[in-house]
Amino acid sequence: MRLIDEQGTQVGIVGVREAIQMAEERGFDLVEVAPNAVPPVCRLLDYGKFRYEQSKKEREARKNQKQAELKQIRLMPKTDDHDISVKANQAKRFLVQGDKVKFNVRFRGREMAHPEIGRKMLEAIAEQLREIAVVEQRPLMEGRVLSLLLAPTPKVLKAAQQAQKARQSQAKASGAGHHDEPEAAEVLEPDDVELDDEDFDDEDEEDDEADLAEDGAASDPQK
């Protein structure tokens, strides 16, 4: 094997027994660092300390890496063009931060008969954001919800990660990390809050009952 000592100096080609004896005499571990080399390369080092430093570097790398979140924006088939533009701009802010965005068009009652309205709406949004986002999931109907999933382009994601790393480095250098006040929570409009199915059950039932009442009145001339 090719042996490197604890100082990083190449000792040369030595036998296994000689390398083990040298490690024991100096109080270090004999660790194979390049098994595929010819001959294999081994080093004398404190393996426990080595693993600790490696783990520390890995944790630091994960810490500096932007963790993408999934942001959800809710729409209705009757959402007007102005509101759609507002929500597209909101999605743009999320995307440039490195987050994914899921648009959900919720259908109620008779709206279910016209899914093409929601599909056209989502396709227009995807086209509007195509310079910074890629379609990760095309419009897909899930129950009463038509969903579109967008993700930042590789270029946008890389820029978001670099920006976050720069902010962390600046905060660390200034020591502000220990005194930062928590950021205020972003206040979303009511339409931007994603609700569970049960939150809509009562409203949907009322819509369905109203639809049935209208149908009954239309079929009964006396009414």
Side-chain angles (χ1 to χ4, degrees):
M1 71 177 68
R2 187 180 302 277
L3 182 64
I4 301 174
D5 66 14
E6 69 278 10
Q7 301 296 329
T9 303
Q10 287 198 30
V11 177
I13 306 299
V14 301
V16 176
R17 291 182 180 275
E18 182 181 351
I20 293 175
Q21 182 179 357
M22 186 180 298
E24 291 176 347
E25 290 175 351
R26 300 187 184 187
F28 289 96
D29 300 304
L30 180 64
V31 180
E32 188 177 49
V33 294
N36 296 326
V38 181
V41 180
C42 295
R43 290 193 62 170
L44 301 182
L45 51 80
D46 184 334
Y47 186 70
K49 182 179 180 180
F50 171 76
R51 285 300 306 151
Y52 171 76
E53 291 177 350
Q54 288 294 106
S55 298
K56 187 176 179 180
K57 289 179 181 179
E58 291 171 1
R59 288 196 302 270
E60 191 67 22
R62 287 196 298 269
K63 182 179 179 181
N64 292 333
Q65 201 171 34
K66 167 67 179 177
Q67 297 298 319
E69 297 180 9
L70 177 62
K71 305 293 186 179
Q72 301 201 48
I73 296 179
R74 181 181 148 200
L75 298 166
M76 304 292 289
K78 58 186 178 182
T79 302
D80 61 36
D81 293 341
H82 173 71
D83 288 339
I84 291 175
S85 179
V86 170
K87 292 177 185 295
N89 287 331
Q90 183 184 42
K92 183 176 181 179
R93 293 198 302 271
F94 292 144
L95 289 164
V96 297
Q97 292 173 1
D99 298 321
K100 295 183 180 181
V101 178
K102 186 175 185 181
F103 286 93
N104 299 313
V105 182
R106 181 95 187 182
F107 294 87
R108 297 179 181 176
R110 294 180 180 180
E111 293 174 346
M112 284 293 294
H114 301 284
E116 70 278 1
I117 295 176
R119 192 175 300 277
K120 183 182 295 185
M121 183 185 299
L122 295 179
E123 289 175 351
I125 291 174
E127 176 64 21
Q128 185 175 342
L129 298 173
R130 64 185 177 85
E131 293 186 359
I132 62 170
V134 294
V135 177
E136 194 163 287
Q137 176 190 290
R138 299 190 65 81
L140 176 66
M141 183 66 78
E142 301 171 324
R144 290 174 291 177
V145 179
L146 183 65
S147 300
L148 167 72
L149 181 60
L150 299 179
T153 63
K155 182 178 180 180
V156 171
L157 182 59
K158 183 178 180 180
Q161 292 174 342
Q162 290 176 341
Q164 184 192 42
K165 187 174 182 179
R167 288 194 299 270
Q168 290 176 341
S169 298
Q170 184 177 5
K172 186 176 180 180
S174 63
H178 299 290
H179 306 288
D180 287 344
E181 295 181 0
E183 296 181 359
E186 181 179 1
V187 179
L188 300 181
E189 300 174 5
D191 281 352
D192 297 323
V193 180
E194 188 67 16
L195 303 177
D196 296 329
D197 287 347
E198 55 264 25
D199 294 321
F200 292 94
D201 288 345
D202 293 339
E203 295 182 14
D204 289 337
E205 289 176 2
E206 291 175 1
D207 290 342
D208 293 340
E209 290 174 1
D211 293 340
L212 291 174
E214 292 176 4
D215 294 340
S219 62
D220 189 347
Q222 296 180 353
K223 296 183 180 180

